[in-house]
Amino acid sequence: MHKAVSFSVAAGLTLFMAAGCSKYIKPSDKAAYDSASAAVERAQSDLKSAEVVPTKNDMQDTFSDALSNLAAAKDLLGKDDYVKAQELALKASQLATDVKELPGEVQKLIAETEKSLVFATEVGLDKTYGKKIKEIKDNLWDANNNVRLKRYAAAKSLAANACSETRKAIDDVEKANDSMAKANAAVIAAKDAGAEASLADIMKTAADTLAAAKTDMENANFQKAKEGADKACQLAKDALEKAKAAKQNN
């Protein structure tokens, strides 16, 4: 789009010359017109660059939507609906950007998932989540294969699913670790309050439950470890409160 050139006219309007035609713009509308025109120009540039990327054929529907939004924006610009014209032009730019940036997004998702899978194996998730980890690896392989075939939309879907499922599995580890830390802190606090002497039975149960949870952690049974740690934590907290109450009564 050519930059508009303005001329003052007696009627209180501004005459803009653009692309060989003239258009009268009210001074009060000039800012909105300029913004909409700039948005249309950006959209045209974005569509032009998106037209040559390898994802265009795979995302033809998205590219076509971008073209439709740009055409509508131009039409509305000519009808003085500057706000709506700018809105559609910005949407066209975003759709074009989606087409251009999809390969990078896919590669980022794949890299993130591969990194997470290494961690998952290191902490032993493959022992108790063997079937799930295999599914994740299969989806990741399919994602990489679709990238090689330049099927980026399908690759993104597969990679996103693999990334999400890996994150869920790792969340189990993080939650178990958090529960273990809280349980250890609660047992120490109860001991410091003298609960080990006055409430030996409760403290023994808490200690035994925590020890079992630690074993579950070592065996990568993270959900079971969390449940045991939460139970040990509650037992220790109960002992702490009873120990405090006993001291106050004495």
Side-chain angles (χ1 to χ4, degrees):
M1 177 175 286
H2 299 287
K3 285 188 175 295
V5 180
S6 64
F7 300 90
S8 296
V9 294
L13 302 174
T14 301
L15 174 63
F16 282 83
M17 301 295 296
C21 61
S22 60
K23 182 176 181 60
Y24 288 102
I25 306 294
K26 293 180 181 179
S28 59
D29 289 340
K30 183 178 183 302
Y33 174 81
D34 288 345
S35 293
S37 296
V40 168
E41 187 171 354
R42 284 195 300 272
Q44 289 182 146
S45 177
D46 288 335
L47 263 295
K48 185 177 180 180
S49 58
E51 194 170 14
V52 298
V53 298
T55 47
K56 184 206 165 190
N57 291 335
D58 186 43
M59 298 184 70
Q60 188 60 52
D61 288 345
T62 303
F63 187 79
S64 295
D65 286 345
L67 287 174
S68 296
N69 278 283
L70 176 58
K74 288 180 177 180
D75 182 58
L76 290 169
L77 186 62
K79 294 178 179 178
D80 302 336
D81 191 345
Y82 309 127
V83 174
K84 187 64 176 178
Q86 182 174 358
E87 178 185 322
L88 291 177
L90 291 174
K91 185 175 181 180
S93 284
Q94 184 56 60
L95 289 170
T97 300
D98 290 344
V99 173
K100 291 187 292 182
E101 295 183 352
L102 183 58
E105 291 179 11
V106 172
Q107 293 292 359
K108 184 178 179 181
L109 276 171
I110 289 174
E112 181 181 342
T113 307
E114 288 175 341
K115 183 178 179 180
S116 296
L117 278 174
V118 171
F119 173 76
T121 302
E122 289 176 349
V123 299
L125 274 169
D126 55 326
K127 298 177 183 177
T128 48
Y129 295 79
K131 183 178 180 181
K132 177 59 65 178
I133 296 298
K134 184 181 182 304
E135 290 176 358
I136 291 170
K137 288 181 177 178
D138 288 345
N139 280 338
L140 205 55
W141 188 92
D142 286 339
N144 276 306
N145 191 47
N146 275 285
V147 167
R148 286 190 290 272
L149 296 172
K150 300 188 184 305
R151 297 172 182 167
Y152 296 101
K156 181 179 179 181
S157 177
L158 288 161
N161 183 66
C163 187
S164 175
E165 291 301 316
T166 306
R167 184 70 259 170
K168 288 178 183 177
I170 291 176
D171 278 347
D172 286 344
V173 181
E174 294 174 346
K175 289 175 181 177
N177 280 326
D178 182 59
S179 291
M180 289 294 296
K182 289 178 179 177
N184 279 313
V187 169
I188 291 172
K191 287 181 179 179
D192 290 343
E196 200 165 31
S198 59
L199 298 158
D201 289 345
I202 295 178
M203 289 300 294
K204 184 179 184 307
T205 302
D208 290 345
T209 303
L210 184 56
K214 289 179 179 178
T215 299
D216 288 328
M217 282 291 289
E218 292 170 358
N219 292 328
N221 294 320
F222 300 110
Q223 290 183 333
K224 188 176 179 181
K226 182 184 184 306
E227 293 172 1
D230 288 341
K231 182 178 180 180
C233 185
Q234 189 57 55
L235 286 167
K237 285 182 177 179
D238 291 344
L240 175 61
E241 292 303 316
K242 290 180 179 180
K244 286 180 178 179
K247 284 184 178 181
Q248 289 177 352
N249 292 332
N250 292 335

